[in-house]
Amino acid sequence: RRHTKRVTSRAVKKRDTHERILKSASLIAKREGLRAWSVPRGMRGAGLTVGGFYPHFPSKTAMDVEIIRSLETLPESRAS
């Protein structure tokens, strides 16, 4: 019998929340610069509380790395 990994609704919700936080923080960083975003601002933009940040990212620095990666993958016309 083949074992396949089942994606639970909890895993989907966690992934979606992670992406929502990343999108919010990336938008701030894109508009105002990486130093302008903060955990409270990013979480407020995602419609979440600050306490919800750390289950998704171990630190602000880890988030900075993800923001940089996400901005690097944008097409040139969207990155500027």
Side-chain angles (χ1 to χ4, degrees):
R1 193 172 135 161
R2 254 172 87 174
H3 294 282
T4 57
K5 188 174 182 179
R6 197 176 96 201
V7 179
T8 64
S9 61
R10 176 181 261 171
V12 170
K13 184 177 179 183
K14 184 171 180 161
R15 185 195 66 222
D16 290 347
T17 301
H18 182 97
E19 290 301 316
R20 205 164 92 206
I21 297 166
L22 179 58
K23 183 178 180 180
S24 172
S26 295
L27 185 61
I28 294 165
K30 180 181 169 187
R31 287 181 178 163
E32 302 174 39
L34 189 59
R35 290 183 185 196
W37 99 267
S38 65
V39 172
R41 280 188 75 194
M43 294 303 283
R44 190 171 39 252
L48 301 165
T49 64
V50 173
F53 177 81
Y54 294 99
H56 296 277
F57 302 94
S59 66
K60 183 180 183 300
T61 302
M63 178 61 144
D64 290 343
V65 170
E66 286 206 40
I67 290 170
I68 291 166
R69 286 185 182 146
S70 75
L71 294 177
E72 286 176 345
T73 61
L74 290 175
E76 277 304 310
S77 62
R78 289 182 58 200
S80 33

